[in-house]
Amino acid sequence: MKNIFKISGVLFVAIVTMFACETDDTTTEEQEQEETVLTELHAAFSAFNTEATTIYLDGSNVVIETTGLPNHETVYWGEDHPLYMEEPGVELTPSIMSSNNNAVTITVDGTPNLTGSTVSTQLNTIGIAVSGASIFNDQEGGGTLDQAAGSLDWTGAHIGPGVYHYHLEPKAFTNDDDNLAGILLDGVFLYGRKCNSTGTYPTDLDASGGHTTTTQYTVGEEEYHYHIINELYSNTGSYIAFAGPYQGY
C-alpha cells in the first residue's frame, strides 16, 4: 500500500510538472507574439496616395490616417473643385466632399492572423483604398446595394451619408487589372480582378475572394491577399469591391 502511495505521489508531481511546463511554454509563445515589433512597412503601402494618407508602424500594428479625400475626378467634388467631373447620369446624394469630414483612422495587424475564424463585414469603413478614400461592403443602410446603385459615380463610389467611399471596383485606379485596390480592416491587401502571378483572373479564390500567391510587392514570396471577385453585381454593371467575410482576424 505504501508503494502505491509513493507511485501515486510521483505521478502527481510528474503531471503537475508537465502542465506547468506546457503553461510556461504557451505563455512564452503568447508573449513572443505580443512583443513582435515590425521594423518596416510592407512594400504595398508605397502605392497609397501620400497626399491623403499617413501610414506608420506602431509595434506589431500599422496605423493608417487618411483625410479620406481621393486624388481622382468625381462628381462628388462639387462644381467649384478642380477635380470635379460632370456625370449627368448620377443621382447625386445631398452631400459633396468639400462639405464633409472624410477623415478616417484605422489600425490593422502588420501580420494578419489567418488561423482564426472568419468575421463578417459591417457597415461603414471596412478598409482604406490606395486613393485615401474608404472602402465599404456590398450593403447600403443595412439593405442591398441595388437601392443606391443610381448614386454611384463612374468609379463605383458615392457619399451616402458620411464619407466618400467605394462599393464597387474603383475604376479610377484598378479596372480589370492586377493593381492594388487597398487594405482591409483585417490587415489583408485587396487587389483588382486579375492576379499578378498569372496575369489573368484567379480560379482558386476562397469564399472571401482570397488566395495565396506572389504579388508585385512580395519579391517572389507568396502571401495571402484578396481580389475583387470577377462576377458582375446585380444592376450596377460592375463588381463588388469586397463583401467578406474577413479571413485575417
Side-chain angles (χ1 to χ4, degrees), residues 128-143:
I128 301 298
V130 296
S131 68
S134 289
I135 300 171
F136 277 32
N137 66 10
D138 59 339
Q139 299 179 36
E140 179 66 26

Side-chain angles (χ1 to χ4, degrees), residues 186-205:
D186 60 351
V188 178
F189 289 104
L190 173 67
Y191 289 83
R193 287 184 279 139
K194 292 183 178 178
C195 187
N196 180 261
S197 65
T198 62
T200 188
Y201 309 114
T203 58
D204 59 344
L205 300 179

Side-chain angles (χ1 to χ4, degrees), residues 11-175:
L11 287 173
F12 177 77
V13 172
I15 291 171
V16 170
T17 302
M18 179 180 68
F19 279 113
C21 290
E22 288 180 354
T23 301
D24 290 341
D25 290 343
T26 302
T27 302
T28 301
E29 290 175 2
E30 290 177 350
Q31 289 176 341
E32 288 177 352
Q33 291 177 354
E34 291 176 358
E35 294 171 0
T36 300
V37 176
L38 299 176
T39 58
E40 60 181 358
L41 288 169
H42 193 291
F45 286 113
S46 63
F48 282 69
N49 173 20
T50 56
E51 292 184 1
T53 61
T54 300
I55 305 172
Y56 57 91
L57 294 172
D58 182 13
S60 61
N61 296 323
V62 177
V63 180
I64 305 170
E65 299 175 351
T66 178
T67 65
L69 304 178
N71 53 354
H72 59 70
E73 295 181 332
T74 172
V75 66
Y76 283 104
W77 275 116
E79 294 184 9
D80 295 331
H81 195 278
L83 288 176
Y84 170 75
M85 177 180 183
E86 188 173 353
E87 298 184 74
V90 175
E91 301 169 8
L92 283 176
T93 60
S95 302
I96 58 174
M97 273 190 280
S98 59
S99 62
N100 280 265
N101 179 11
N102 288 265
V104 174
T105 297
I106 68 171
T107 299
V108 303
D109 288 336
T111 305
N113 177 13
L114 299 170
T115 62
S117 301
T118 58
V119 178
S120 299
T121 58
Q122 303 295 320
L123 297 179
N124 298 316
T125 298
I126 65 167
I128 301 298
V130 296
S131 68
S134 289
I135 300 171
F136 277 32
N137 66 10
D138 59 339
Q139 299 179 36
E140 179 66 26
T144 65
L145 185 58
D146 301 56
Q147 59 186 328
S151 66
L152 299 175
D153 64 13
W154 73 281
T155 190
H158 68 170
I159 302 174
V163 301
Y164 179 80
H165 57 272
Y166 310 96
H167 284 286
L168 304 178
E169 176 183 47
K171 294 180 179 179
F173 42 90
T174 178
N175 184 7

